Amino acid sequence: MERMWRDLRYGIRSLRRGGLLIAIALLSLGIGIGSVTTIFSAVDVFMLRPLPFPESDDLHSVYTTNHERQTMELAASTGAAFNLSGGERPERIQGLRLSWNFLRVLGVQPALGRGFSPDEETEGRHRVAIISHGLWQRRFGSDPDVVGATFLLDGEPYTIVGVMPTDFWYGSLFDDIWVPLAITGEESRNSHYIQGVARLSSGFTREQARDEADRIAAQVASEFPETNTGNGASIVTLHDDIFDEGFKVGTSISTLAVLFLLLIACANVANLLLTHAAGREREVAIRSALGAGRVHVVRQFLTEALLLSFAGGLLGMLISVFGIRWLVSLMPSWFPRVNEIGLDTRVLLFTVAIVILTAALVGLAPAIQASRVSTADSLKEGGRGGTAARGARFRKALVVGEISLALALLVTSALLVQAFINVRLADRGFDESDLLAFRIALPRGEYPDTVSITAFHQELTDRLASLPGVTGVGATTILPSQGNSSTYYSLPGDDIVTDQDRKVTNWLDVTPGYFAAMDVPIV
């Protein structure tokens, strides 16, 4: 222990004597470690952490696929938007319609109240709701007796049966309400808007689950051949469904970029430490002459590298505090779990591991060079042994490697930036510079049919068009770049036997003034 403290004290004195050279090395390590820490904080949240549900690896998303021809508990959900009225002001909120067992399949329960019961999936008994912790706070003043209270949702009275925990989320961070998925029996078999979630039993594999789902799909197809022939199931882990290929590609590119940056920093610092070590040949020779062995010399230089890397790690964590804030500000607010990105225990442990690895990378070459110092040659007046020449060759190799890594990183970054610019400047087919867009969800109780809905939109369009400064008004079922609806279609003369024989196209409903308002030319 005494020897370790002596090495640390001596290492601190030696680094102090390095002056500007050591300061540059410290800054290089700080930037490299800070960049890696910043990116890892996001990669950890998106790719490495399990979802915040019990035994989340058993949770899978289930989708309908179309391909020619144990146990699991299945739950279903579909997104929805609601008008919450009553109180001081109305509010548009986002949420999900859930099968009664959805929360049970996820393995979570409301913090207050209860979940849904099977009978609440029945039309007419479905007017119950579970609200988010945030909605409970801002709309109901954190009232502990909120369970049993009623409020108006799309003009209809709903009863609150539960309040979810603070940190609960599924699908979107903005969901504030969950209501039963009431099946009326009038749904079209050509609609595939409901997402299934299954929890696989212990020992029940995904392949077995897919075979079981395909068997069920085949049974349904035999009963309803016109709409279900060829349907099967696709089953993926819930984690891979939420953090899809887009997340994987983005995090992989970012990780490689910062690793290149760290390697460049390590090569730079190793070069600086080799230069620092070359000026200490006489010092090392004297210590060797006084009895210091090669192991002691190597240990001393590795200790100095660890001290420098530790200081660089502290600087890197300081840089990452601002880096993480900047990174989060760039991400869309709807990214799942984006609010969890930060410096926590997992990220700090990763940074410590990076510091130790960095110490080994930057300290090994100077330590080996110093251990090979010729005592006799170095102690001669003005004498220089072969160590300096070997060190010079190694420094040149490091410079070549550093330039190669920097060039690869520069070219890759330039290509990514150019691609991003191309996407941002791409012609979208409409002029968005003077457009104002908003969404409307009409309460079904007040607008029960197409006639009333059409009348509302016509009146709204007329009133908006009469406002000063408004040059055009239009409406569509889905805003540009926000998704699409699809439908089967066929042409006269097509031989249509089942839905599988028909083609699929995307479609939108628009009002007559839509293209003019969007400044979209009709060619």
Side-chain angles (χ1 to χ4, degrees):
M1 182 63 70
E2 177 62 28
R3 180 178 295 177
M4 183 185 72
W5 284 114
R6 187 166 60 247
D7 289 343
L8 287 173
R9 290 194 298 270
Y10 188 84
I12 293 173
R13 290 198 300 270
S14 176
L15 292 175
R16 283 178 177 174
R17 291 196 299 268
L20 181 61
L21 184 144
I22 297 301
I24 295 174
L26 179 62
L27 181 60
S28 297
L29 287 180
I31 294 174
I33 294 174
S35 301
V36 172
T37 301
T38 297
I39 295 300
F40 178 79
S41 65
V43 172
D44 181 46
V45 169
F46 293 154
M47 295 290 108
L48 303 181
R49 290 187 191 179
L51 296 177
F53 309 118
E55 300 176 347
S56 61
D57 289 343
D58 293 333
L59 291 172
H60 293 71
S61 293
V62 183
Y63 293 98
T64 298
T65 59
N66 189 281
H67 50 264
E68 288 298 331
R69 329 291 171 224
Q70 6 227 333
T71 63
M72 65 178 177
E73 184 175 10
L74 184 66
S77 69
T78 181
F82 305 91
N83 294 322
L84 175 61
S85 54
E88 296 180 358
R89 60 181 176 83
E91 183 178 355
R92 179 180 168 86
I93 58 176
Q94 182 175 314
L96 292 173
R97 300 184 188 275
L98 308 176
S99 63
W100 74 271
N101 62 337
F102 193 90
L103 297 179
R104 189 180 77 176
V105 169
L106 292 183
V108 296
Q109 288 296 323
L112 294 177
R114 61 172 178 85
F116 299 132
S117 59
D119 62 309
E120 288 170 340
E121 283 189 351
T122 306
E123 183 74 21
R125 306 188 64 178
H126 67 285
R127 294 188 181 91
V128 294
I130 299 173
I131 62 175
S132 69
H133 188 272
L135 184 63
W136 175 57
Q137 285 184 317
R138 74 173 185 269
R139 191 77 184 196
F140 299 95
S142 301
D143 181 6
D145 299 321
V146 71
V147 174
T150 59
F151 62 98
L152 293 179
L153 200 63
D154 286 349
E156 298 179 346
Y158 275 70
T159 302
I160 298 175
V161 297
V163 178
M164 293 305 293
T166 308
D167 56 351
F168 174 75
W169 66 272
Y170 173 81
S172 170
L173 299 174
F174 302 113
D175 287 341
D176 273 324
I177 194 165
W178 298 269
V179 300
L181 179 60
I183 304 299
T184 64
E186 299 176 358
E187 293 79 13
S188 170
R189 289 193 170 275
N190 285 328
S191 298
H192 300 276
Y193 61 91
I194 297 177
Q195 178 184 354
V197 174
R199 178 178 290 276
L200 303 189
S201 301
S202 177
F204 194 59
T205 66
R206 195 186 315 169
E207 289 71 24
Q208 290 174 304
R210 187 179 296 112
D211 291 343
E212 176 70 7
D214 283 340
R215 185 191 65 78
I216 296 173
Q219 180 179 340
V220 175
S222 66
E223 299 180 25
F224 305 96
E226 291 186 358
T227 57
N228 288 75
T229 297
N231 283 356
S234 172
I235 300 179
V236 298
T237 64
L238 185 58
H239 186 280
D240 288 346
D241 187 32
I242 295 175
F243 299 102
D244 56 15
E245 288 299 320
F247 280 96
K248 292 179 181 178
V249 171
T251 53
S252 297
I253 292 175
S254 302
T255 301
L256 286 175
V258 295
L259 286 178
F260 267 50
L261 184 62
L262 180 61
L263 287 175
I264 293 171
C266 288
N268 186 37
V269 173
N271 212 337
L272 293 172
L273 291 183
L274 280 170
T275 302
H276 184 54
R280 299 171 60 188
E281 284 192 13
R282 191 172 183 83
E283 169 199 331
V284 173
I286 293 174
R287 297 188 67 186
S288 298
L290 293 175
R294 176 173 291 187
V295 173
H296 179 78
V297 173
V298 171
R299 187 178 70 238
Q300 178 62 50
F301 274 79
L302 287 178
T303 299
E304 293 175 14
L306 183 61
L307 285 170
L308 182 62
S309 297
F310 181 74
L314 292 178
L315 178 60
M317 282 191 284
L318 179 61
I319 292 174
S320 69
V321 170
F322 300 97
I324 290 173
R325 292 178 183 174
W326 173 76
L327 181 65
V328 171
S329 70
L330 294 179
M331 294 181 179
S333 57
W334 51 263
F335 266 26
R337 309 188 80 172
V338 68
N339 59 320
E340 299 180 30
I341 299 176
L343 278 177
D344 57 12
T345 303
R346 290 168 60 96
V347 177
L348 292 177
L349 289 175
F350 171 81
T351 304
V352 170
I354 288 295
V355 166
I356 296 174
L357 177 61
T358 301
L361 291 175
V362 305
L364 196 57
I368 293 175
Q369 175 181 309
S371 68
R372 294 177 177 175
V373 168
S374 173
T375 303
D377 291 341
S378 298
L379 290 177
K380 291 177 183 179
E381 186 67 27
R384 294 178 63 87
T387 306
R390 288 193 297 270
R393 288 195 297 270
F394 192 73
R395 289 197 297 274
K396 290 179 180 178
L398 282 176
V399 170
V400 172
E402 189 177 346
I403 292 175
S404 300
L405 288 171
L407 185 60
L409 181 60
L410 180 62
V411 171
T412 304
S413 300
L415 291 173
L416 288 174
V417 170
Q418 183 61 49
F420 177 75
I421 292 174
N422 290 341
V423 170
R424 293 288 296 175
L425 298 181
D427 183 6
R428 303 186 185 186
F430 61 92
D431 180 11
E432 59 180 313
S433 60
D434 56 356
L435 289 177
L436 176 64
F438 54 93
R439 299 178 181 178
I440 298 175
L442 299 179
R444 288 182 296 176
E446 297 182 33
Y447 300 90
D449 51 35
T450 303
V451 174
S452 59
I453 294 174
T454 302
F456 171 86
H457 283 288
Q458 185 60 56
E459 181 182 358
L460 177 64
T461 299
D462 294 342
R463 293 177 63 180
L464 288 174
S466 66
L467 294 176
V470 175
T471 59
V473 179
T476 178
T477 46
I478 302 177
L479 291 171
S481 303
Q482 298 296 310
N484 56 264
S485 298
S486 61
T487 184
Y488 291 113
Y489 77 97
S490 59
L491 299 176
D494 287 350
D495 185 14
I496 304 299
V497 177
T498 68
D499 284 340
Q500 312 312 313
D501 300 319
R502 294 195 287 175
K503 304 177 181 67
V504 177
T505 187
N506 298 329
W507 65 276
L508 297 174
D509 280 334
V510 299
T511 60
Y514 173 76
F515 292 111
M518 295 287 289
D519 196 17
V520 175
I522 304 295
V523 298

